[in-house]
Amino acid sequence: EEFDMATLDFGCPPPPAMIRMAWSSLGRNTSVGDESNKSSSDSLLVLDGESSNKASSNIMQNKECNNNKNGPAEHDNTTSKSGRIQKGNMDEFLSFVFFGVPFSTVPPTSPMQQALDNFYIILQTRTGLSFEPGNNPNYIPRAISFEKVKSLYRPYCVYASVALMRMIANCILYVLGFRQYSCKRGLRYWHRPAKQQGGSPFLFFHGIAPGGHAPYLPMIFFGILRGQLSHKHRDVFLFENKPISYALCFDALSEEDTMQGVLEAIQRHLPTDTANNLTMCGHSLGSCQLTWMIKSPEIKNRIRSLILLDPVTILLSEPDVMVNFLYNRREIQDPYNGNSNSWAGRLVRFFNETKIHLVASSELFTEYYLRRNFAWYNCDLWLQDIPNDVKVVVCLAERDEIVNTPKIEKELALHNSKVSREVCNGITSFGPMIEKIVWRDVGHANCVTNPGKWSDIHHAMGKIESQILKEDSCQKGR
């Protein structure tokens, strides 16, 4: 849709995030400094060859740097050594992003080629940005779905151990009263009906983790759904995503299959009154499924509250998540602690990054899923698309190794200020106000194993349900 707005000349300039992705996703080395928070206008100068050598060294990397296995690459005079990004480089990247095909397969007279030509005309006319003909071999686009799967070998005993852990978790769920179901389109989930109705149904979507939902069970039952929010007083759904669970499975469900499966589960187990009062929670990659639910016209109006834990979907059009998870981590300047670059801070960060790489991002079936079955453009959560009556809590880790927390904080603040300003003007089309929780001095997925973070989520969910009950009581009183 963004590309159509640019190429069909509807009077809108190319979106900054789309332009930024075009060069930020080109192959380059991990930079030093806050290059991930640079504005689009700053980066446009680099693409146009007008920035200083120091600035360009923070944003671009040549092919020689990308192949350097022995240590940090030299950044001096990057512009003069590597040259500018040329039109052929952009053709390769844009063909991958917008059409999902290599540029070599685009016919010269096809509508795709015409759309690319119009795109360059608009860039030249409205931003003054142009590209020289040719193809600079120093720059290679990060076309994740065209690249080889880059996994690390794991012996079968690793998968056997995970299968045993999953079996134990499933036995525990069965003892707790859960039963496993399969939908017509292949989605599998566990469900337990409420013993006594008292809360909204709870739907959980796990992230990339050995055993799928197994590592999350303590957080769910001893942390979030306890006390007044007890899981005994509400229907609980635990949805599975096998390709990211260390299961020997290459088959992945599409967005449509997942949405239809969730809808089928809701209609199978919930009466009408509770089916329109859903609480959905997703961690990390599980936030992508929540984004699909928001886009589903049959489901989004049933959602009353969203809990996003370490979400990767906010600003997914930015390169941070893809680069940090599948490639080399991008250094992010920490605005909260001036000692973040101390040796101790770097050691902790290195340990967490190594853990994520060994446990998650290098696993064969996870790599295959992300490089062959993951459509990032369908998973970007635009905050204004969330219905106005939905209560939203976003929980972030300050030192997240995957998500750019400072950038998301700015986006949430900008969204809330826009919503409050437009509400004063009588406009309610910009989505709901969003509550934010930022956990200091912790990394990605710390909330899964930290009981202190469980309490934060529990209290935030309790606050949301109290607000919903109050609003419903007011509506009944009218």
Side-chain angles (χ1 to χ4, degrees):
E1 292 176 356
E2 292 178 345
F3 190 53
D4 289 342
M5 292 173 65
T7 55
L8 297 180
D9 199 15
F10 286 165
C12 298
M18 181 179 68
I19 299 175
R20 187 184 305 151
M21 179 66 105
W23 64 83
S24 295
S25 293
L26 290 170
R28 54 167 180 72
N29 201 21
T30 302
S31 63
V32 179
D34 191 19
E35 54 102 347
S36 61
N37 291 312
K38 284 185 175 293
S39 67
S40 298
S41 58
D42 293 335
S43 302
L44 282 172
L45 297 177
V46 176
L47 275 179
D48 209 28
E50 297 177 0
S51 66
S52 65
N53 291 336
K54 180 178 180 181
S56 62
S57 69
N58 283 339
I59 296 183
M60 298 192 296
Q61 172 205 8
N62 60 24
K63 185 177 181 180
E64 295 176 356
C65 294
N66 201 31
N67 293 330
N68 186 351
K69 306 294 185 182
N70 299 321
E74 295 292 336
H75 286 300
D76 295 336
N77 300 321
T78 302
T79 303
S80 60
K81 289 183 179 180
S82 305
R84 294 177 56 193
I85 296 175
Q86 296 180 337
K87 187 173 182 293
N89 305 112
M90 293 297 296
D91 286 338
E92 292 176 2
F93 178 80
L94 295 175
S95 297
F96 153 68
V97 170
F98 297 116
F99 309 129
V101 298
F103 180 70
S104 59
T105 65
V106 177
T109 59
S110 66
M112 289 187 289
Q113 182 61 61
Q114 296 174 9
L116 287 175
D117 293 339
N118 291 336
F119 179 72
Y120 289 121
I121 293 173
I122 293 174
L123 279 182
Q124 173 66 34
T125 303
R126 303 186 185 180
T127 68
L129 182 63
S130 62
F131 300 93
E132 298 175 356
N135 189 44
N136 189 334
N138 292 318
Y139 297 99
I140 303 174
R142 284 181 167 135
I144 58 176
S145 59
F146 296 159
E147 296 172 349
K148 293 182 178 179
V149 174
K150 302 174 183 178
S151 60
L152 294 179
Y153 169 76
R154 287 166 175 78
Y156 179 75
C157 62
V158 172
Y159 293 97
S161 301
V162 173
L164 178 61
M165 178 179 68
R166 186 186 301 110
M167 184 183 303
I168 294 174
N170 292 345
C171 291
I172 294 174
L173 290 175
Y174 192 88
V175 171
L176 291 175
F178 284 81
R179 296 296 181 266
Q180 191 177 46
Y181 299 88
S182 295
C183 300
K184 295 179 181 178
R185 298 199 181 188
L187 180 66
R188 301 179 67 181
Y189 64 94
W190 288 82
H191 168 259
R192 191 187 70 178
K195 295 182 179 179
Q196 179 182 353
Q197 287 295 340
S200 61
F202 184 82
L203 289 71
F204 183 79
F205 300 86
H206 65 79
I208 298 173
H213 55 256
Y216 295 93
L217 296 185
M219 178 188 73
I220 295 173
F221 296 120
F222 300 124
I224 303 177
L225 302 182
R226 59 180 174 83
Q228 294 181 347
L229 303 180
S230 174
H231 52 89
K232 298 179 181 179
H233 299 156
R234 67 185 72 237
D235 286 74
V236 179
F237 296 81
L238 305 176
F239 292 93
E240 297 182 354
N241 192 350
K242 294 186 66 176
I244 61 173
S245 305
Y246 270 63
L248 303 179
C249 176
F250 285 114
D251 297 329
L253 295 178
S254 66
E255 294 93 336
E256 181 64 25
D257 290 341
T258 302
M259 289 187 290
Q260 290 300 318
V262 172
L263 181 62
E264 179 181 334
I266 293 171
Q267 294 175 342
R268 176 186 293 177
H269 300 286
L270 300 178
T272 304
D273 55 340
T274 56
N276 295 325
N277 187 30
L278 305 178
T279 294
M280 292 193 173
C281 178
H283 176 254
S284 191
L285 196 67
S287 60
C288 294
Q289 281 97 324
L290 298 191
T291 302
W292 304 342
M293 302 305 121
I294 290 295
K295 295 179 179 180
S296 170
E298 298 174 301
I299 298 178
K300 72 175 183 178
N301 292 328
R302 301 172 182 265
I303 303 173
R304 295 299 303 273
S305 59
L306 284 176
I307 302 175
L308 301 168
L309 310 176
D310 298 332
V312 301
T313 54
I314 301 176
L315 296 182
L316 188 59
S317 57
E318 298 287 327
D320 302 287
V321 170
M322 179 186 71
V323 172
N324 291 342
F325 194 77
L326 293 177
Y327 300 95
N328 295 324
R329 172 170 168 77
R330 313 176 75 194
E331 294 289 343
I332 300 174
Q333 184 177 2
D334 189 350
Y336 307 107
N337 191 339
N339 298 323
S340 61
N341 291 322
S342 65
W343 68 268
R346 288 183 176 275
L347 183 62
V348 172
R349 177 181 295 174
F350 172 78
F351 172 77
N352 290 333
E353 291 171 4
T354 303
K355 177 184 66 175
I356 291 173
H357 177 69
L358 294 179
V359 174
S361 63
S362 63
E363 197 271 325
L364 172 61
F365 299 95
T366 300
E367 268 272 329
Y368 185 86
Y369 176 81
L370 294 177
R371 292 186 181 274
R372 299 295 182 266
N373 295 298
F374 182 71
W376 61 268
Y377 45 82
N378 289 339
C379 302
D380 203 335
L381 176 60
W382 304 100
L383 301 176
Q384 62 268 27
D385 291 343
I386 302 175
N388 296 328
D389 60 344
V390 175
K391 309 298 181 183
V392 184
V393 176
V394 176
C395 302
L396 302 167
E398 179 188 20
R399 305 193 188 283
D400 199 307
E401 297 81 14
I402 299 174
V403 176
N404 190 328
T405 297
K407 189 182 291 184
I408 292 182
E409 284 194 84
K410 293 178 182 178
E411 179 70 13
L412 296 178
L414 178 63
H415 170 79
N416 285 340
S417 64
K418 183 185 296 184
V419 171
S420 59
R421 182 173 62 251
E422 297 302 332
V423 167
C424 294
N425 297 328
I427 302 175
T428 59
S429 59
F430 285 90
M433 294 289 289
I434 296 177
E435 183 178 342
K436 172 186 68 176
I437 298 176
V438 180
W439 293 308
R440 305 302 181 192
D441 299 319
V442 297
H444 192 85
N446 179 269
C447 63
V448 179
T449 57
N450 191 322
K453 309 302 182 293
W454 303 348
S455 296
D456 294 338
I457 304 169
H458 172 80
H459 293 312
M461 182 174 166
K463 180 180 177 181
I464 286 176
E465 292 208 344
S466 297
Q467 293 174 350
I468 293 175
L469 289 174
K470 184 177 180 180
E471 292 176 359
D472 291 345
S473 298
C474 292
Q475 291 180 355
K476 291 179 180 179
R478 294 176 184 176

